[in-house]
Amino acid sequence: MWKTALAFASLAELATAQQSSNTAVTVKWLEGTPKITTGTTFGLPWVRGQHLANATSFTASSGELQSWVTAYWPDGTIKWTGHAIAGSDAPADEYTITASGPGNGTAGRLRRQASNSSAIQITESSDEIVVNTGKITASFPKSGSTLLSSIKTSSGKTVGQNGRLILRSQSGVAEEGDASGIDFFSFESKIYNTTVSEDSTARALVTVQGIHHAEAGSHKDWLPFTLRFYLYANSYAIRTIHTIVYDGDSKSDFISGLGIRFDVPLADEELFDRHVRIAGTDGGILHEAVQGITGLRRDPGQEARLAQYDGTKTPDKSTWDTRVTSRLQWVPTFNDYRLTQLSADGFNIAKRTKAGQSWLKIPGGTRAGGLAYLGGATVGGLAVGQRDFWKKYPTSLDISNAATDEGSITLWLYSPSAEPMDLRPYHDGLGEDTYAKQLDALEITYEDYEDGYNTPYGIARTNEVYIYAFDSTPAADTLSTLTEYTNEPPVLVAEPGYIQETKALGSYWNVPGSASNSTTDATTIESHLDFLVQFYRDQIEQRRWYGFWDHGDIMHGYDTDRHQWKYDIGGYAWDNSELSPDLFFWNQFLRTGRADVYRLAEAQVRHGGEVDSYHLGNFTGLGTRHGVQHWGDSAKQARISTPVYRKTFYYTSGGDERTGDLLHEAFQAEQAWVLVDARRKVRDPSVVYTPDPTALYLNFGTDWAGLAAAQLIEWERRGPRWEEARDKLAETAKTFPKLKFGFVTGEALYNSEDGSWAPPPTDPNNNGSITVSHLSSVFGVLETLDQLFEHYADIPKDFVNAWLDYCYYYGAPKAEQAARYGKDFGKLNLRQGHSRLTAYVANRRHNATLAARAWDEFLNDNSADELSPDDPWATVRYNGSEVLTPVNEADWITTNAAALYGLAGIELLALT
Ligand SMILES: *[C@@H]1O[C@H](CO)[C@@H](O)[C@H](O)[C@H]1NC(C)=O
Ligand SMILES: *[C@@H]1O[C@H](CO)[C@@H](O)[C@H](O)[C@H]1NC(C)=O
Ligand SMILES: *[C@@H]1O[C@H](CO)[C@@H](O)[C@H](O)[C@H]1NC(C)=O
Ligand SMILES: *[C@@H]1O[C@H](CO)[C@@H](O)[C@H](O)[C@H]1NC(C)=O
Ligand SMILES: *[C@@H]1O[C@H](CO)[C@@H](O)[C@H](O)[C@H]1NC(C)=O
Ligand SMILES: *[C@@H]1O[C@H](CO)[C@@H](O)[C@H](O)[C@H]1NC(C)=O
Ligand SMILES: *[C@@H]1O[C@H](CO)[C@@H](O)[C@H](O)[C@H]1NC(C)=O
Ligand SMILES: *[C@@H]1O[C@H](CO)[C@@H](O)[C@H](O)[C@H]1NC(C)=O
């Protein structure tokens, strides 16, 4: 459905062409056409030189469309756009987005369609922002403690108010029931600022930033938050992205409840017409009324009973059996409901008439849908749902005061019914008080420990919450649909072939079936890639890799004796993106368009960028090496926080704003390197460490590549520091090849003020220094550099050649290494993982002999960190007394090997 782009060599040529150029691109729903859409945002890439950003307009085949540019090619043409479409009860199966232009050079910014009456209306005053979507009107105060002061339906009913954050914490945890000396605190939200997006025709974005402020007890303000409220035209939903950054002290700040609460006005509703609905499992919904009239000894009449069950208004009371109406005062009303999901495997529900009376158990279930509704048949109400509710346990949903004039719904992102959140280190240091002891411990548990570095200070978590407003209690089926919607918000994506053609996300992957498979059987590799994706999906479920901080991560190494991943063994536990499984999954999604791969990779984006990376403090911009706790290891590096892992999500989502923050933040690694001496444990004794921003001693792969990814994205996005980012990349490209041995130098001095490089302190005269590590180029370096080469078309050739030399020599015979560099590189690991470097140089230098070398490296590595065609490519089932719960085991897989096989397989298929 898309038209091949007109490729212009230069802007001048583009200008002379001057004829109107139209490109039509079709997007489809990832998981098939949804029943409804409450509005959605997606991203599209465009070929270089095709559409000038300031003279292109976009139209959609149906519905209201809002468009904006999320990235530019260096020539000023559009690289990526974001598009929002309005809410609809009948979404189209697909949408064709047509870009028109450059036309004749119409002045001004991206041309927008004239908005029409169905578009969003925004009113901003000094103290609030009011957004009217046509279906609801929501008011966002600019100060105080209330984030969302009211939600009104189009008929004028206020169905939600006083939306606010709740935080509880305590200064210690009780041991053996002894809570003496523990202080308890409760906090409310304190707003710093509230802003609204400028362009808001199909979508308005209200961003509220603030901090939690003590209501009771004396505690500093803490836990800064950012809430983003997305409201689409013609929609009754508010999508909310809730982010907190942990800035407490893990030894004295234990979160015991983190939630968001809305009040629901009920004064004008009869108690028997007030409804409580709570999502259970498999589309199930609990049907309750605050005052039940079903199941009583006397029957009010079938019509009344059914109305209550269905959530419609009961017939006038005068039509009921008077034996019921005369005795309603004896039928208890239930004020409070509570659903608690304290594990991924079960939830409980209970209700009570009021505080001080016993809770009644309601039969529970396994995995709750995470949505609750409170409202009335005539006054309407509110539903609040959390995405991945059970996967992010401990969570809960409270409905309170439903029998009073104002009820409330509280979504607990961290349940107050759970044990307080304990972020303390899991061991006491084991006496590892010197670098020598820490390095020795690394030899046995593979943990890189250091007191003070095992800190959660500065990690973040983002949750996705949906708020739905109703004029009257909705049908249970509607709530069931919305529960599904909340958990898998529909996504629009372009065809893999189109994305590939634009080269906006690199040129090292292709669409299955398009590869030449003369050297090996592509079908086998495809089946192995599918196997690995399915394996990790199954392991996540069987091993219960879920929880508030854990959801979205996978494990690193496997203990074959215990039939258990090494969740408790130092550096083998949580993977923290080691060797780029994220990139494997994103590339596999890009080439196949598969929904299951997308969902796996999406959860990783929300995990790695938040929990495994730092957002405050000295480590901002860096991430943490794999370990038992996501933040526990003392190696803080940009190889974990690198934006290349989150870039595909960022652009294909139309520029998810939270992810955008993370990409920008990674730029701050430059400051972190001044504060954190990465080589402190392993420094060459001849080098004296000086924290000098003009001479940061960096590895090109584990350090700089993450920064380079951040700089490239900043340049593409034209973020606040884009010119600086562009200039630094240019300076790097100019100066790095001057290192006598180029990338083979491995580690050298980076000047964070201008992006230039100088020889390492061990080789000040630039005689040529060799530091080749198996780790340098397995954290997205090739992918980052290829994206840079595609973007920066006139990048100095010396820089590209320096990289191609590295790609060539890493796996070259020792004699060739020695002939070129004076000595060979010694023993190097990860041959299979590096076959993609060989494939890359083979492709760029059109060398078939090298392509054969790449396949040999890929197929005949025969080391511990590779997967071979001779591996079983099957799992073994363990059950009974051998394991806690039945599991599928593949003891021949490590996550390092899986990630490298996946990436190399994809890239060899594309490049050779
Ligand atoms: C206005 O919105 C309606 C409903 O979304 C749509 O059918 C119509 O095409 C729009 N008109 C314009 C001029 O965009
Ligand atoms: C550009 O197009 C507009 C209308 O499409 C026309 O009025 C205008 O004269 C054109 N300008 C030039 C420079 O051709
Ligand atoms: C449009 O953008 C191009 C490239 O950035 C620039 O040269 C040109 O002056 C711009 N035109 C207008 C009308 O803004
Ligand atoms: C909001 O306030 C915080 C704290 O003062 C500040 O850091 C942030 O930049 C502000 N954001 C906006 C959008 O004004
Ligand atoms: C790949 O090889 C198989 C045989 O192994 C062959 O049937 C198939 O057509 C080949 N595919 C391509 C794209 O060359
Ligand atoms: C941050 O870095 C500075 C400078 O190295 C150091 O003095 C300070 O103790 C560090 N702070 C933390 C919390 O690590
Ligand atoms: C580097 O080369 C210079 C001469 O260019 C020589 O004086 C010096 O000893 C060499 N240094 C090393 C470490 O080889
Ligand atoms: C291709 O690579 C092989 C193997 O390294 C090398 O011997 C040969 O010179 C290369 N051919 C060309 C044309 O560069």
Side-chain angles (χ1 to χ4, degrees):
M1 283 302 291
W2 47 275
K3 199 160 103 181
T4 305
L6 299 167
F8 293 96
S10 68
L11 203 59
E13 197 187 320
L14 175 63
T16 32
Q18 280 302 321
Q19 78 271 34
S20 180
S21 140
N22 286 357
T23 314
V25 185
T26 298
V27 288
K28 291 189 176 136
W29 299 99
L30 182 64
E31 280 131 340
T33 309
K35 291 182 195 139
I36 54 155
T37 172
T38 61
T40 194
T41 301
F42 58 94
L44 284 177
W46 305 92
V47 169
R48 179 198 299 267
Q50 193 176 6
H51 293 288
L52 267 178
N54 52 13
T56 303
S57 59
F58 294 88
T59 51
S61 49
S62 61
E64 180 87 12
L65 182 77
Q66 180 183 334
S67 306
W68 59 94
V69 177
T70 50
Y72 302 81
W73 293 99
D75 64 5
T77 58
I78 295 173
K79 188 165 186 177
W80 284 94
T81 44
H83 303 275
I85 58 164
S88 166
D89 290 336
D93 291 338
E94 59 182 46
Y95 298 83
T96 300
I97 308 301
T98 304
S100 312
N104 70 1
T106 305
R109 20 216 306 268
L110 183 70
R111 277 192 266 145
R112 281 196 277 124
Q113 269 181 291
S115 61
N116 79 26
S117 55
S118 73
I120 288 181
Q121 286 166 20
I122 294 177
T123 326
E124 181 164 6
S125 66
S126 57
D127 48 348
E128 66 173 359
I129 290 164
V130 180
V131 179
N132 180 349
T133 69
K135 289 266 169 75
I136 56 168
T137 301
S139 306
F140 301 88
K142 291 183 169 175
S143 61
S145 60
T146 302
L147 288 84
L148 218 176
S149 55
S150 79
I151 305 173
K152 280 199 183 78
T153 63
S154 53
S155 64
K157 294 177 190 169
T158 298
V159 297
Q161 58 196 21
N162 303 322
R164 59 204 186 273
L165 302 180
I166 299 175
L167 170 67
R168 295 180 192 157
S169 76
Q170 55 192 70
S171 63
V173 282
E175 293 289 346
E176 297 288 327
D178 177 10
S180 57
I182 299 179
D183 295 322
F184 295 85
F185 306 97
S186 62
F187 302 82
E188 59 184 4
S189 24
K190 181 164 111 186
I191 296 169
Y192 285 157
N193 45 45
T194 302
T195 55
V196 64
S197 50
E198 269 178 42
D199 288 340
S200 304
T201 46
R203 181 189 98 167
L205 164 57
V206 176
T207 306
V208 183
Q209 286 180 293
I211 198 157
H212 293 82
H213 172 74
E215 275 181 305
S218 144
H219 192 291
K220 68 164 189 172
D221 290 355
W222 72 308
L223 226 64
F225 64 80
T226 303
L227 266 82
R228 292 186 162 90
F229 298 97
Y230 295 83
L231 299 99
Y232 290 83
N234 198 33
S235 170
Y236 55 92
I238 304 176
R239 175 175 181 255
T240 306
I241 299 291
H242 173 292
T243 301
I244 49 146
V245 182
Y246 183 84
D247 64 343
D249 176 343
S250 68
K251 297 196 171 75
S252 56
D253 289 311
F254 299 83
I255 291 173
S256 51
L258 175 70
I260 176 164
R261 176 172 293 166
F262 293 91
D263 295 335
V264 179
L266 296 167
D268 298 333
E269 195 72 84
E270 298 279 9
L271 292 164
F272 48 76
D273 279 332
R274 297 184 188 183
H275 306 117
V276 170
R277 300 284 183 265
I278 299 179
T281 60
D282 304 319
I285 301 287
L286 177 79
H287 295 237
E288 295 259 326
V290 168
Q291 185 175 44
I293 54 163
T294 60
L296 297 172
R297 186 162 185 189
R298 307 293 170 213
D299 181 4
Q302 191 191 27
E303 208 189 327
R305 283 185 287 111
L306 288 184
Q308 188 177 66
Y309 176 78
D310 290 338
T312 54
K313 167 128 187 64
T314 50
D316 193 279
K317 247 193 331 188
S318 63
T319 68
W320 303 11
D321 189 321
T322 53
R323 288 175 299 174
V324 176
T325 44
S326 64
R327 297 189 177 92
L328 274 176
Q329 67 275 23
W330 311 129
V331 178
T333 57
F334 286 88
N335 216 24
D336 304 331
Y337 285 73
R338 166 165 298 168
L339 180 148
T340 49
Q341 179 89 50
L342 301 186
S343 83
D345 292 298
F347 66 86
N348 294 316
I349 317 191
K351 65 179 182 182
R352 66 178 181 186
T353 53
K354 62 179 187 224
Q357 309 298 143
S358 156
W359 289 90
L360 286 188
K361 283 197 296 184
I362 303 173
T366 50
R367 293 168 166 181
L371 178 134
Y373 166 85
L374 172 64
T378 60
V379 301
L382 204 65
V384 178
Q386 182 191 356
R387 183 174 186 191
D388 296 327
F389 180 78
W390 61 264
K391 294 178 185 169
K392 288 195 162 171
Y393 78 88
T395 44
S396 52
L397 277 163
D398 282 0
I399 286 181
S400 311
N401 303 322
T404 69
D405 284 353
E406 190 172 63
S408 70
I409 306 180
T410 310
L411 167 65
W412 292 101
L413 303 167
Y414 194 89
S415 172
S417 304
E419 294 277 315
M421 181 193 289
D422 192 342
L423 304 183
R424 291 175 297 181
Y426 78 100
H427 66 62
D428 64 4
L430 307 171
E432 296 177 38
D433 51 10
T434 64
Y435 289 156
K437 290 179 192 173
Q438 291 160 19
L439 292 170
D440 196 46
L442 183 72
E443 286 298 317
I444 184 70
T445 61
Y446 201 34
E447 181 169 69
D448 185 358
Y449 172 82
E450 186 175 348
D451 187 32
Y453 283 75
N454 49 354
T455 177
Y457 181 90
I459 64 169
R461 199 53 164 146
T462 287
N463 283 288
E464 198 163 336
V465 175
Y466 283 80
I467 303 153
Y468 303 101
F470 303 95
D471 257 336
S472 58
T473 298
D477 258 0
T478 303
L479 291 173
S480 188
T481 300
L482 293 176
T483 301
E484 193 187 328
Y485 192 92
T486 300
N487 281 283
E488 267 185 1
V491 173
L492 281 168
V493 290
E495 296 289 332
Y498 173 72
I499 299 175
Q500 185 199 356
E501 166 120 339
T502 65
K503 297 190 176 178
L505 280 172
S507 56
Y508 44 80
W509 56 274
N510 66 2
V511 177
S514 58
S516 145
N517 59 1
S518 54
T519 43
T520 189
D521 191 353
T523 321
T524 304
I525 295 176
E526 296 293 354
S527 77
H528 291 170
L529 299 177
D530 291 346
F531 176 91
L532 291 172
V533 168
Q534 192 57 44
F535 176 69
Y536 280 94
R537 282 168 45 80
D538 291 345
Q539 292 299 296
I540 289 168
E541 168 59 13
Q542 292 176 9
R543 311 292 180 161
R544 300 296 192 271
W545 290 335
Y546 301 121
F548 183 94
W549 292 108
D550 300 334
H551 175 54
D553 208 345
I554 55 181
M555 288 260 167
H556 187 62
Y558 195 74
D559 180 346
T560 53
D561 296 320
R562 284 189 290 170
H563 309 292
Q564 173 71 276
W565 289 83
K566 301 181 187 180
Y567 69 95
D568 56 348
I569 304 181
Y572 295 105
W574 289 117
D575 194 61
N576 288 27
S577 302
E578 184 71 1
L579 312 194
S580 316
D582 324 46
L583 263 186
F584 162 34
F585 296 139
W586 277 119
N587 286 333
Q588 184 66 354
F589 163 69
L590 281 173
R591 60 202 295 278
T592 62
R594 267 171 51 181
D596 56 349
V597 192
Y598 180 91
R599 296 300 184 187
L600 178 61
E602 183 190 24
Q604 283 192 308
V605 164
R606 290 279 189 225
H607 177 89
E610 304 280 359
V611 184
D612 300 343
S613 307
Y614 286 93
H615 315 280
L616 277 180
N618 287 2
F619 304 143
T620 303
L622 303 181
T624 300
R625 176 182 175 267
H626 42 98
V628 170
Q629 290 169 306
H630 304 282
W631 51 88
D633 199 272
S634 77
K636 307 298 182 190
Q637 292 191 293
R639 77 190 209 200
I640 301 105
S641 55
T642 175
V644 76
Y645 297 158
R646 290 165 264 288
K647 185 170 181 172
T648 302
F649 175 72
Y650 175 71
Y651 284 129
T652 59
S653 68
D656 174 76
E657 283 70 15
R658 171 58 188 164
T659 307
D661 284 354
L662 301 176
L663 303 180
H664 183 68
E665 200 171 71
F667 214 137
Q668 289 186 49
E670 285 182 336
Q671 279 80 56
W673 288 322
V674 182
L675 300 170
V676 183
D677 172 13
R679 260 164 213 77
R680 63 196 182 279
K681 295 185 185 175
V682 291
R683 196 182 310 102
D684 186 304
S686 72
V687 178
V688 177
Y689 174 69
T690 42
D692 177 356
T694 68
L696 298 165
Y697 196 5
L698 303 184
N699 180 289
F700 78 82
T702 49
D703 302 317
W704 173 78
L707 174 67
Q711 290 172 335
L712 172 59
I713 295 171
E714 189 78 2
W715 179 6
E716 291 175 331
R717 292 167 73 188
R718 299 205 177 161
R721 296 173 66 183
W722 75 273
E723 284 157 312
E724 173 195 341
R726 177 197 60 195
D727 294 349
K728 284 182 175 173
L729 283 167
E731 198 58 25
T732 288
K734 203 165 83 188
T735 55
F736 198 90
K738 291 183 182 155
L739 298 174
K740 176 121 186 254
F741 288 165
F743 284 87
V744 170
T745 313
E747 303 184 338
L749 296 178
Y750 172 75
N751 181 340
S752 67
E753 287 174 5
D754 63 9
S756 67
W757 286 79
T762 50
D763 179 26
N765 295 318
N766 199 21
N767 295 359
S769 167
I770 301 175
T771 302
V772 179
S773 161
H774 63 292
L775 287 183
S776 294
S777 48
V778 285
F779 293 92
V781 181
L782 182 150
E783 294 76 13
T784 299
L785 287 177
D786 180 66
Q787 291 177 17
L788 176 66
F789 301 161
E790 287 297 342
H791 188 76
Y792 182 7
D794 47 2
I795 190 167
K797 288 289 160 283
D798 284 353
F799 184 74
V800 179
N801 279 324
W803 173 243
L804 294 181
D805 280 349
Y806 184 87
C807 290
Y808 179 87
Y809 283 103
Y810 184 94
K814 285 191 166 143
E816 281 192 52
Q817 293 168 353
R820 167 74 170 77
Y821 296 101
K823 63 179 179 142
D824 67 55
F825 301 165
K827 174 153 172 39
L828 288 171
N829 300 328
L830 309 184
R831 198 163 159 249
Q832 180 174 67
H834 284 78
S835 65
R836 68 192 207 261
L837 272 63
T838 311
Y840 192 73
V841 59
N843 178 279
R844 294 306 136 114
R845 291 186 174 154
H846 311 291
N847 188 326
T849 318
L850 264 182
R853 193 186 102 193
W855 281 109
D856 180 55
E857 290 164 354
F858 181 73
L859 295 170
N860 303 308
D861 178 340
N862 300 324
S863 72
D865 285 310
E866 60 94 47
L867 299 177
S868 131
D870 301 332
D871 281 323
W873 295 99
T875 56
V876 176
R877 185 80 170 167
Y878 283 88
N879 50 32
S881 64
E882 287 181 304
V883 285
L884 179 67
T885 54
V887 292
N888 291 354
E889 174 176 291
D891 63 2
W892 47 279
I893 290 182
T894 68
T895 300
N896 274 354
L900 292 178
Y901 179 93
L903 274 170
I906 287 170
E907 296 182 16
L908 263 68
L909 288 173
L911 294 169
T912 61

